[in-house]
Amino acid sequence: MPIATVNPANGETLKTYEAMDEQELERRLQLAQATFRTYRTTSFAERARLLNRAADLLDEDQDDIGRVMTTEMGKPVKQARAEAAKCAKAMRWYAEHAQELLADEEPAAADVKDSGGSRALVRYRPLGPVLAVMPWNFPLWQVVRFAAPALMAGNVGLLKHASNVPQTALYLEDLFHRAGFTEGCFQTLLVGSGAIDALLRDERVKAATLTGSEPAGRAVASTAGEMIKKTVLELGGSDPFVVMPSADVDRAAQVAVTARVQNNGQSCIAAKRFIVHTDVYDAFAERFVAGMAALKVGDPLAEDTEVGPLASEQGRADLEELVDDARRAGAAVLCGGERPDGPGWYYPPTVLAGVTREMRIHREEAFGPVATLYRAADVDEAVLIANDSPFGLSSNVWTRDEAEVDRFVRDLEAGGVFVNGMTASHPGFPFGGVKRSGYGRELSGHGIREFCNITTVWHGA
């Protein structure tokens, strides 16, 4: 895949870049290693000063980088600006909280005495250069939610971004440099996916994090496992959105539309499978389908656009295959389902009903504005349908019944359960999944500690 900006609204190639050669990669790896030796000794106060400066610059750049993201991957420009603001917020959150999150911990005095020691502590020390393999769908946020905690922990970052967002990738390196971070603290590596294996095998790279597809996660985890290096993986998702009879159906249907089509439907944590109790199924379906059909699809740079194009021609083709497979197998298309005429990789908001386990869309992730509707007779069936997926990233539950809430929290196989609201990420909450959605956590204290050497320090009596 070429390293290029291709506008998904019209298919026009705007900029192309040459991949870095081996000499340049070697220079950058040496720089990362050398920079880590000194950066790891900087104070939390100094790291926080630099990260807060990066947040200020990002706020200033919000309009410009928003247009770049929209031009590179097609998200509505209002959502792109919101993504930039969210990144600045996360930077400030880690600048404020990192020292507390990584403070030395003292084991229980009884345990220290029982060990024969006089005192002991647990210290969180940085690992070194961390490779981040990141996707195009949230081209700023996915990177910042790694970079902010990694830099505050004293690590340095090497970014291998998706090949269709090179301008955003280069902007990130420039942002941290303008903020005052030493050049080697955060570097963008303009390389294709074929270079990842060699980077993982390089002894100077101490760990890796990947957000992306299941095959990409398997490849990175396999090589990292062979090299005995820590990884965090955030892979696909096919999140359930469960609506029970006690729910506010009007509100649930309204939020369901946003939960499905945010980021043009290209979000791992977007709700994709809508599982509705039979008592409120018809009412919810009517409102949900009407909301999906009413969305304004168009130029992502227009302020009133709600759904823009998919990021790539292949992505649209993959989505069409899932819809066509379901239609051939008997699913009903309640709205959408047909590629529009004209330029760009657009696909309409689509709702499918009557989906069965034999259909590909039941078990594969639909990465675009396509929703599937399921009818559940009771809580047991709702849980069964929700868990009948290879993925387990997050989940949404709409009910006013506390016993039902407890049941869903206990039994849903997911890294998050959001009650009476849509899944969202926040720097204060851990983020990640189970099953084929990956392992490890990003954000919060759990995320910042993922790439730390958790060190026991013991003193004899």
Side-chain angles (χ1 to χ4, degrees):
M1 183 178 182
I3 301 174
T5 296
V6 181
N7 187 344
N10 55 27
E12 180 184 355
T13 300
L14 302 178
K15 286 189 177 183
T16 58
Y17 297 83
E18 291 293 325
M20 293 176 177
D21 58 24
E22 290 185 9
Q23 290 76 18
E24 178 61 12
L25 281 178
E26 174 61 24
R27 184 188 75 80
R28 287 173 176 258
L29 286 166
Q30 289 182 11
L31 180 60
Q33 183 182 48
T35 301
F36 174 67
R37 294 192 189 105
T38 54
Y39 181 70
R40 66 189 297 274
T41 66
T42 57
S43 66
F44 282 109
E46 174 62 7
R47 296 172 200 169
R49 183 187 70 79
L50 295 171
L51 198 59
N52 277 320
R53 176 57 180 154
D56 292 343
L57 290 171
L58 184 52
D59 280 339
E60 294 172 11
D61 296 343
Q62 188 179 116
D63 288 342
D64 290 340
I65 190 57
R67 289 182 66 87
V68 169
M69 284 191 285
T70 294
T71 303
E72 290 202 304
M73 56 69 59
K75 73 173 71 223
V77 70
K78 288 174 68 174
Q79 294 181 27
R81 291 196 297 267
E83 180 175 337
K86 182 175 183 175
C87 290
K89 176 181 178 179
M91 289 177 178
R92 294 188 178 102
W93 191 91
Y94 272 108
E96 178 181 353
H97 294 287
Q99 184 169 5
E100 174 190 354
L101 295 172
L102 298 180
D104 290 349
E105 298 174 5
E106 294 187 5
D111 291 332
V112 176
K113 181 179 180 181
D114 185 60
S115 73
S118 60
R119 59 192 176 97
L121 60 86
V122 177
R123 176 161 295 174
Y124 295 95
R125 298 187 292 159
L127 290 179
V130 180
L131 175 66
V133 182
M134 293 288 112
W136 48 261
N137 58 332
F138 291 95
L140 274 186
W141 172 243
Q142 306 278 17
V143 178
V144 167
R145 73 184 191 190
F146 148 74
L151 290 168
M152 284 305 301
N155 294 305
V156 300
L158 295 165
L159 170 64
K160 190 287 178 216
H161 217 324
S163 293
N164 61 331
V165 290
Q167 293 185 72
T168 306
L170 292 169
Y171 167 82
L172 283 157
E173 178 181 87
D174 181 63
L175 173 69
F176 288 115
H177 190 248
R178 283 189 290 137
F181 285 95
T182 304
E183 183 185 1
C185 283
F186 186 93
Q187 300 180 80
T188 288
L189 309 179
L190 281 187
V191 293
S193 58
I196 296 173
D197 188 76
L199 288 167
L200 287 169
R201 294 181 185 279
D202 194 292
E203 291 294 338
R204 291 165 291 191
V205 173
K206 301 303 181 185
T209 179
L210 176 139
T211 300
S213 69
E214 188 181 332
R218 281 194 173 125
V220 165
S222 177
T223 300
E226 184 182 340
M227 301 304 296
I228 316 179
K229 293 182 180 180
K230 175 70 177 288
T231 53
V232 170
L233 302 181
E234 193 264 279
L235 308 179
S238 190
D239 290 3
F241 188 107
V242 181
V243 183
M244 299 301 289
S246 65
D248 179 340
V249 174
D250 287 338
R251 177 62 179 159
Q254 180 184 14
V255 173
V257 173
T258 303
R260 177 62 285 233
V261 302
Q262 61 174 327
N263 208 47
N264 302 339
Q266 300 166 123
S267 170
C268 296
I269 58 169
K272 299 183 176 79
R273 298 176 296 131
F274 297 83
I275 303 161
V276 187
H277 191 282
T278 189
D279 290 353
V280 291
Y281 179 91
D282 291 339
F284 176 87
E286 179 183 2
R287 291 162 176 76
F288 180 53
V289 172
M292 291 283 281
L295 291 165
K296 180 174 176 53
V297 180
D299 178 4
L301 287 172
E303 292 292 330
D304 61 347
T305 291
E306 295 170 293
V307 179
L310 298 187
S312 70
E313 189 171 16
Q314 185 60 54
R316 181 173 68 173
D318 292 343
L319 193 65
E320 284 181 306
E321 285 182 12
L322 290 180
V323 173
D324 291 344
D325 171 79
R327 183 166 21 211
R328 286 193 300 268
V333 180
L334 303 185
C335 69
E338 297 292 340
R339 176 197 293 207
D341 294 329
W345 301 314
Y346 292 90
Y347 197 80
T350 298
V351 180
L352 303 177
V355 173
T356 63
R357 298 188 79 244
E358 292 71 32
M359 298 173 188
R360 288 177 54 199
I361 201 166
H362 176 77
R363 59 187 185 275
E364 297 180 29
E365 180 179 20
F367 217 58
V370 175
T372 52
L373 270 174
Y374 298 80
R375 188 188 296 265
D378 51 28
V379 173
D380 290 339
E381 188 174 17
V383 170
L384 187 67
I385 297 170
N387 288 341
D388 189 23
S389 169
F391 301 107
L393 192 52
S394 191
S395 60
N396 310 258
V397 174
W398 289 74
T399 177
R400 294 188 177 103
D401 186 323
E402 285 303 317
E404 289 179 350
V405 171
D406 290 343
R407 173 71 188 281
F408 286 119
V409 170
R410 185 191 74 183
D411 290 346
L412 287 180
E413 298 167 353
V417 181
F418 284 69
V419 181
N420 296 327
M422 61 180 275
T423 298
S425 53
H426 182 281
F429 306 145
F431 181 86
V434 295
K435 301 196 287 189
R436 293 187 186 176
S437 289
Y439 53 74
R441 291 295 181 265
E442 297 177 288
L443 303 176
S444 77
H446 296 277
I448 197 172
R449 298 184 195 108
E450 286 281 8
F451 296 116
C452 287
N453 175 358
I454 304 172
T455 308
T456 296
V457 180
W458 182 91
H459 296 260

